[in-house]
Amino acid sequence: MNDLSLLAGRLRTLAPSCGPVRLIAVDGHAGSGKSTFAARLAAALGGAPVLHLDDMATHESFFTWVDRLHDQVLVPLERGECARYAPYDWTARSFGTPRGLEPEPVVLIEGVGAGRRALRPRLARLLWMDLPAAQSWERGRHRDGPALSGFWDGWTAAEAQHFSADPSRPHADTLVRQLPVGYELLERPGAAAGTNHSVTDREHIAPSC
């Protein structure tokens, strides 16, 4: 497991952004490594809850989950209450049994669009997996195999349209680049405010064992 303890420590010191919760977004193109990074960061945070946006999207609509996320997750968290949301089952093509999400001090939300305009006011930090779209999509297609090539055709078109209208990367506080071993974090102070900033700090996160 990668040692993300320093990043985890910094996230714990941030001001709450959604009621008592520090909501941390991990965004990036499909196939960029968001889920793996979020899982490792959650472990470094002592088992922080992770909301996967794949549970919010559906076959019929990849990116129109904002209202459902707001009502089922954000509003309860703002009140300091346990959120309950119905995850989408991509095999059954229907919503499953409601799942709880506790208002822990740090909650991670990962998936394409986690840093979108509608969510940014409630984020304490926006992390962007900094792998170009073409490389990310190639990785995703390779991972899922030819049986899902039709799905990927539709997804990539929808994702490109989404980020064209509502880009996340320009607003990211931290760019996360996967290295052959570990990660490189590139801090971008003030980027979340919408201003242009060059990278001012680089931190290499290498395995602890």
Side-chain angles (χ1 to χ4, degrees):
M1 178 179 292
N2 291 306
D3 183 6
L4 295 172
S5 58
L6 292 178
L7 174 61
R10 290 200 296 269
L11 297 180
R12 291 191 187 98
T13 67
L14 296 174
S17 59
C18 184
V21 173
R22 295 153 184 84
L23 193 61
I24 309 300
V26 180
D27 203 343
H29 298 290
S32 61
K34 298 180 301 301
S35 297
T36 298
F37 178 80
R40 291 171 175 171
L41 180 56
L45 286 161
V50 181
L51 173 66
H52 302 284
L53 289 178
D54 283 352
D55 290 338
M56 290 283 149
T58 69
H59 280 94
E60 290 73 29
S61 181
F62 294 143
F63 294 106
T64 58
W65 38 257
V66 171
D67 289 343
R68 191 164 66 255
L69 178 71
H70 175 270
D71 295 343
Q72 296 181 4
V73 177
L74 299 182
V75 170
L77 292 183
E78 283 186 325
R79 296 172 177 165
E81 301 171 356
C82 178
R84 291 187 65 78
Y85 64 97
Y88 183 71
D89 187 323
W90 289 84
T91 301
R93 292 178 174 255
S94 63
F95 290 100
T97 303
R99 185 178 298 168
L101 185 72
E102 295 290 341
E104 298 291 342
V106 179
V107 173
L108 305 181
I109 177 170
E110 75 83 18
V112 179
R116 67 192 304 172
R117 186 181 301 112
L119 272 63
R120 287 197 293 270
R122 290 183 172 89
L123 298 180
R125 195 77 170 171
L126 171 53
L127 312 178
W128 174 265
M129 302 302 296
D130 204 35
L131 186 70
Q135 290 178 251
S136 299
W137 295 339
E138 182 180 0
R139 281 174 42 166
R141 287 177 181 272
H142 178 75
R143 176 194 65 203
D144 293 342
L148 291 179
S149 61
F151 171 84
W152 270 96
D153 291 343
W155 173 270
T156 54
E159 182 183 308
Q161 183 178 15
H162 166 74
F163 280 134
S164 176
D166 191 357
S168 296
R169 189 181 188 278
H171 302 276
D173 302 292
T174 305
L175 305 181
V176 182
R177 294 179 179 170
Q178 188 170 1
L179 303 174
V181 178
Y183 296 93
E184 181 183 33
L185 305 182
L186 292 79
E187 301 297 328
R188 307 175 69 211
T195 55
N196 294 322
H197 290 266
S198 59
V199 172
T200 60
D201 183 51
R202 288 178 171 83
E203 178 181 350
H204 292 272
I205 308 296
S208 58
C209 59

